[in-house]
Amino acid sequence: MLLMEKVGILTRQNETFALAMIIESRGSTPRHVGKMIVYKDGSIEGTVGGGLAEYYIIEESVKAIQKGKSKIVEYKLNKHAKDGIQMNCGGTLRVFIEVYTSRPELILVGAGHLGVAMAKLADSLEYPYCIVDDRIDYCTRERFPHATNLYIQEDIGVALLEANLNEKSYVAVFPKNQDDIVLKTALQFPCAYIGMVASKRKAITIFEKLKSEGITEEQLKRIYSPIGLDIGSETTAEIAISIMGEIIKVSKEIKSEKTAKEETRLNKGERTTIK
């Protein structure tokens, strides 16, 4: 398999990784062209020449992944040169490290008009999404041609479990009914976001029911309701935009928090282990 084919597969699988690519090579270097996929744990596919330079490039790639920022690095492969590394080649190598970060994985619970509007936005943003519903005539490939999966069960909680919720999952809840079942199911998992379309009165009623079934106040605080940014939205399309805006906002906040934690760790002198 060609390396760029693997990049395409990893992108479709919504994985986080870096692609290190030689963009300039002057003088004597192990390779003048080369590409290398670097994973979060420091494992690689491909090569940019091996040796100490490649070791440093892997190290910098892992740091770039942790920070979520692409960068260009340059090395003098000459141990006698100022700022050179312990190599005898004598040339200079410049490498572009492009970071591919995972995108929010949308779990759209509800295949009605709002589900269709959300799916169209997800398509334009190239966000992966699946549809969960209990209505077989609504949850169809004709309505959602680009969905990664369609999960249909009479018990919508069972359908939601099939979506394999995880820390990348952004769950937007707007089914025809069974909202409480959906929320109770979603709260079992470390989802990045859980939002529910509901009036204040409906939300209070659902929350009281969930509390009577053992859901804690702390768990309920994880739910965004009313859902979406407050932009005065009224139409289905406007509501979808407000929800997507909130999901983007939350995803950026999560990434910023992770970056801040990683920078704190690095500032304390902890180093990434290269495998």
Side-chain angles (χ1 to χ4, degrees), residues 78-200:
N78 185 346
K79 63 184 180 182
H80 301 295
K82 183 181 179 180
D83 301 323
I85 63 174
Q86 293 298 308
M87 294 183 70
N88 296 313
C89 302
T92 301
L93 199 64
R94 296 185 77 218
V95 175
F96 176 48
I97 299 171
E98 183 176 11
V99 176
Y100 291 72
T101 57
S102 61
R103 298 148 290 165
E105 295 180 355
L106 306 184
I107 315 296
L108 306 180
V109 188
H113 296 305
L114 185 52
V116 172
M118 287 289 294
K120 288 180 179 178
L121 284 177
D123 286 338
S124 65
L125 292 167
E126 296 185 345
Y127 284 4
Y129 64 93
C130 67
I131 308 295
V132 178
D133 206 289
D134 58 346
R135 298 167 292 177
I136 194 168
D137 53 334
Y138 275 72
C139 196
T140 65
R141 276 292 167 198
E142 288 72 25
R143 290 168 64 81
F144 303 99
H146 304 298
T148 55
N149 280 296
L150 304 175
Y151 299 106
I152 314 163
Q153 293 283 348
E154 186 175 345
D155 183 335
I156 202 167
V158 174
L160 185 56
L161 285 174
E162 293 177 353
N164 297 318
L165 303 182
N166 56 60
E167 68 279 354
K168 294 181 183 179
S169 301
Y170 288 70
V171 185
V173 181
F174 32 81
K176 184 178 180 181
N177 48 44
Q178 302 188 73
D179 304 71
D180 57 323
I181 295 173
V182 171
L183 292 176
K184 190 174 182 179
T185 303
L187 287 170
Q188 298 175 38
F189 300 89
C191 302
Y193 172 93
I194 303 172
M196 176 180 66
V197 173
S199 64
K200 289 184 179 179

